Amino acid sequence: MTDRYAVIGNPIGHSKSPFIHQGFARATGQDMDYTALLAPVDGFAAAVDAFRAAGGRGLNVTVPFKLDACAYATVRSPAAELAGAANAMRFDGERVEVENFDGVGLVRDVVHNLGLPMRGRRVLLLGAGGATRGVLLPFLAQGVAEVMIVNRDLDKAQAVARLGATQGPVRACAYAALAGQSFDLVFNGTSASLAGELPPVPASVFAPGALAYEMVYGKGLTPFLRLAADAGVQHLADGVGMLAEQAAEAFAWWRGVRPDTKAVIDALTVPLR
Ligand code: ATR
């Protein structure tokens, strides 16, 4: 019997997940079906109940349901626990496991696709929302020298830093405190780019040879990436690789086979200009 999977969200029409997972299924010869599921904003649990009752095996989860997915689960991975949010679910009878693959996907994109090892590097993470919480543990697991979390609301950054403190060197600061500091890997995990805004980060944060990574994808040269380019940064990336790699992690978790991501990344890449 063909196994059923879907991405659930609201809205859901824009999601690239069906394109990505259908491609993975073809490339790996998996007998599975992957669709998009629109659920009412207040109807996540009922929609998942119905999907499971119809034999559904797993879901990807997108806005606004990542927190609901975590609450619905019977088993949460450490990454999902720390983020308080999940982007993948796996069903087996009464057991509902959730995962957050954003962080491992991003690490894989940086280390494997971009060829930039993270061990011993100084990392700056802009923002203290879901995107930052989702990637903190996998960053620390790479043995980075330090993760600095910067946010307009400093209390929020400090709270996230405390969550990761037992796992590695993580600190929080305000944007004004970045003067005179530089980092090897700088990630924009704020939602500023979605509004065409620039976080108040000084151009001096980019160390020689630094990477500037925009975690949003498909927006071309965002204000953050433009700041980096104008500062002479050579390594510029957006979140297309992160999107493809987190999808590949979920696919492997469900099916036991890890698809190659190159074709997906090539198909979805929007030039950075
Ligand atoms: P998400 O879960 O998508 O990350 P969120 O929890 O609302 O959404 O977090 C959005 C993040 O982007 C926050 O860290 C926010 O900063 P504040 O907590 O200080 O509000 C950050 N953000 C949004 N717009 C920004 C901007 N123009 N400049 C800097 N940071 C911005």
Side-chain angles (χ1 to χ4, degrees):
M1 202 182 84
T2 302
D3 291 330
R4 290 187 59 207
Y5 297 84
V7 57
I8 186 168
N10 187 334
I12 199 61
H14 65 286
S15 174
K16 304 289 183 210
S17 291
F19 169 80
I20 294 172
H21 284 281
Q22 287 161 11
F24 286 166
R26 271 195 307 277
T28 57
Q30 294 288 303
D31 183 14
M32 59 184 278
D33 181 51
Y34 191 109
T35 54
L37 198 58
L38 176 70
V41 170
D42 59 355
F44 175 78
V48 178
D49 287 347
F51 183 76
R52 289 169 64 202
R57 300 289 303 275
L59 288 169
N60 281 127
V61 183
T62 188
V63 177
F65 298 129
K66 291 185 178 191
L67 277 68
D68 303 77
C70 214
Y72 186 98
T74 61
V75 185
R76 297 170 194 86
S77 73
E81 193 79 62
L82 187 137
N87 68 356
M89 310 179 81
R90 184 164 74 176
F91 309 122
D92 184 10
E94 292 304 302
R95 189 179 163 89
V96 177
E97 286 176 81
V98 292
E99 262 288 4
N100 188 319
F101 289 121
D102 286 341
V104 282
L106 176 52
V107 165
R108 182 153 173 118
D109 191 37
V110 172
V111 175
H112 187 83
N113 299 340
L114 304 176
L116 299 170
M118 296 185 73
R119 176 165 300 280
R121 301 291 167 181
R122 295 196 68 211
V123 177
L124 177 63
L125 260 172
L126 312 187
T132 289
R133 286 200 307 274
V135 302
L136 182 57
L137 286 189
F139 276 14
L140 294 173
Q142 288 297 300
V144 296
E146 173 180 48
V147 175
M148 179 71 86
I149 300 173
V150 62
N151 199 45
R152 294 180 306 193
D153 178 342
L154 179 59
D155 287 350
K156 224 163 119 185
Q158 285 170 335
V160 179
R162 274 195 298 275
L163 289 175
T166 59
Q167 307 298 313
V170 51
R171 292 193 291 153
C173 74
Y175 281 98
L178 289 174
Q181 299 199 60
S182 66
F183 300 84
D184 306 304
L185 306 168
V186 182
F187 297 87
N188 185 12
T190 74
S191 50
S193 304
L194 297 174
E197 295 171 0
L198 176 66
V201 60
S204 54
V205 294
F206 301 103
L211 166 73
Y213 196 109
E214 175 67 72
M215 284 158 67
V216 166
Y217 105 97
K219 299 278 180 204
L221 202 62
T222 61
F224 166 73
L225 290 176
R226 189 178 301 277
L227 174 85
D230 290 347
V233 174
Q234 299 285 324
H235 296 297
L236 303 177
D238 76 357
V240 65
M242 175 181 179
L243 174 72
E245 297 298 341
Q246 65 78 26
E249 292 292 329
F251 192 93
W253 186 58
W254 291 326
R255 308 302 300 179
V257 47
R258 197 180 198 286
D260 190 63
T261 51
K262 186 170 184 319
V264 162
I265 292 173
D266 287 349
L268 296 180
T269 291
V270 172
L272 297 180
R273 56 171 177 253

